[in-house]
Amino acid sequence: MAKSRQSVRAFAYLRTSSAANIGEDRDSGRRQLHSIEAYAKRTGIHLVGTYHDEAVKGSDPIDTRPGFAAMLEALEANGTKTIIVETANRFARDLMVQEVGYAMLRARGIELVAADSPTSFLDDTPTARLIRQVLGAVSEFEKAMLVAKLKGARDRKRRTGLKVEGRKSIAEQRPETVELARKLARSRPKGGRRSLREVSAALAEAGHTTKTGKPYAPTAIKLMLCLGKREQNNGKKEELST
């Protein structure tokens, strides 16, 4: 590899596809590990662990392999960023699985190296290019779908009168204050109706003030009462729809 391997740590990953190759009397795992250790020694890489998926086919998706999943957890835990396999086929025989797995590792900042040919996963063949382009298109499609779903959810909330962006409204921050303001406005004293300032004063007396400890301004009280009416109307609509 072009960059220095000094102080680089790595995990060895072994895969045996046939159950017949498992066991002390079989040499598949030993051969793979010997090849990986030889490469690590030549390049000055320090192997800190070995993970083995036994009886796992080369076409099996990476995220379904128990040994590989355990290795990813170990990678996250100790900060190791390199995986070494004997050959690219030991990682995955199916080219689509190989490209998907390699892209997933690269997205996590993890380097995958084949001991027999360190540039295997970087080869720019027509088939590999096509798969990478398809994966990129799928990723963009999924992103666009997510954006569309989020926008649809926001639009539905807006139609119900809820605020979905920016700072939270007072109804979201202090629903109990809004509810009390509505009750005070409805409870008219003798000889007339409570003004917005009177509602504000009654709220302050009950301990409902702004963050700075001041009574709410009349405009804020008016907004509370409007929000209360809107929520009440929305509740009636929901009852009628059910």
Side-chain angles (χ1 to χ4, degrees):
M1 301 292 285
K3 67 179 182 179
S4 173
R5 289 295 181 184
Q6 186 176 5
S7 300
V8 171
R9 301 187 304 168
F11 281 115
Y13 176 66
L14 320 178
R15 183 188 60 77
T16 308
S17 59
S18 173
N21 289 330
I22 302 171
E24 294 182 358
D25 58 333
R26 305 297 180 178
D27 67 350
S28 176
R30 288 198 299 271
R31 187 198 67 245
Q32 292 179 55
L33 185 57
H34 176 76
S35 177
I36 293 170
E37 288 175 338
Y39 172 78
K41 185 176 181 179
R42 289 197 309 272
T43 55
I45 297 176
H46 177 55
L47 292 178
V48 294
T50 301
Y51 287 84
H52 192 174
D53 271 313
E54 301 175 330
V56 171
K57 295 180 179 179
S59 58
D60 289 352
I62 302 302
D63 58 0
T64 64
R65 304 178 183 182
F68 197 84
M71 181 174 61
L72 286 181
E73 290 184 6
L75 284 164
E76 295 292 338
N78 70 8
T80 298
K81 293 295 183 180
T82 304
I83 298 171
I84 305 176
V85 293
E86 179 194 23
T87 66
N89 285 343
R90 282 299 163 187
F91 177 63
R93 288 190 180 279
D94 185 285
L95 186 56
M96 178 64 81
V97 174
Q98 190 178 112
E99 286 293 328
V100 170
Y102 178 71
M104 180 268 289
L105 292 174
R106 186 174 56 185
R108 296 188 179 194
I110 299 170
E111 183 180 13
L112 180 65
V113 181
D116 70 325
S117 179
T119 61
S120 293
F121 298 104
L122 302 176
D123 290 344
D124 196 24
T125 64
T127 304
R129 279 201 305 274
L130 175 61
I131 291 176
R132 289 165 194 162
Q133 289 168 0
V134 170
L135 291 176
V138 170
S139 177
E140 286 298 317
F141 174 75
E142 290 178 342
K143 181 179 179 181
M145 288 296 292
L146 178 60
V147 170
K149 287 180 180 178
L150 292 174
K151 182 179 183 300
R154 289 196 297 270
D155 290 343
R156 286 192 294 273
K157 286 185 178 181
R158 286 194 189 99
R159 287 195 290 271
T160 65
L162 293 176
K163 186 176 180 181
V164 296
E165 293 172 337
R167 295 175 60 185
K168 290 185 177 181
S169 68
I170 189 170
E172 294 173 298
Q173 294 180 26
R174 300 185 180 183
E176 68 284 354
T177 300
V178 175
E179 181 62 26
L180 180 57
R182 290 175 57 194
K183 290 180 179 179
L184 290 170
R186 288 197 301 265
S187 59
R188 301 177 180 180
K190 293 181 179 180
R193 176 180 180 180
R194 289 183 189 272
S195 67
L196 297 176
R197 292 186 183 278
E198 287 174 334
V199 172
S200 174
L203 282 176
E205 187 176 348
H208 294 265
T209 59
T210 65
K211 291 181 179 179
T212 58
K214 296 180 179 179
Y216 285 102
T219 52
I221 300 300
K222 185 176 182 179
L223 177 60
M224 291 183 200
L225 300 180
C226 289
L227 289 171
K229 289 180 181 179
R230 187 181 300 171
E231 289 176 359
Q232 190 175 34
N233 291 334
N234 288 335
K236 290 180 178 178
K237 288 180 181 178
E238 289 180 2
E239 288 179 5
L240 290 173
S241 65
T242 56

